[in-house]
Amino acid sequence: AYQAGLASRGLFKNLLKGVFGTRMEFFDTTPIGRILNRFSKDTVAIDTQLPQSVPNFVVCFGAVMGVFLMIVVLLPWFAVAMVPIMGLYFYTQQCYRPISRDLQRI
């Protein structure tokens, strides 16, 4: 809960810094309600979703690392094969993230 509060405060400060750093045309074209809704939506997402997601991530990460460790102990040559597989995974992830972000905006 404490870490979620820190994350929420950090996000709020960054949002506030971003809004204060914009030009006046932004405020002329964007209704104040839309700005406030964006602030509240992001803050609620961090306050409610982050505390639920972190324990799930830790459990899932531990399970995946345990499985990989067990496979490498039983089949040492698998570690050699994992290097190009992980490279391909990270390359695919780099391509997928911007596309996914753009599709969510639609």
Side-chain angles (χ1 to χ4, degrees), residues 30-101:
T30 307
I32 194 71
R34 186 176 300 160
I35 298 170
L36 288 174
N37 283 341
R38 185 64 191 192
F39 269 68
S40 63
K41 180 182 176 189
D42 290 345
T43 305
V44 166
I46 284 190
D47 288 343
T48 59
Q49 293 174 358
L50 191 62
Q52 295 171 357
S53 298
V54 170
N56 292 339
F57 169 76
V58 170
V59 169
C60 184
F61 183 76
V64 168
M65 287 297 113
V67 168
F68 280 141
L69 182 66
M70 185 69 73
I71 291 172
V72 168
V73 167
L74 295 174
L75 303 168
W77 55 267
F78 183 75
V80 175
M82 279 306 297
V83 173
I85 291 173
M86 292 302 285
L88 181 65
Y89 171 76
F90 285 119
Y91 173 74
T92 305
Q93 189 180 31
Q94 292 292 328
C95 294
Y96 172 76
R97 279 187 179 173
I99 295 170
S100 173
R101 191 177 316 122

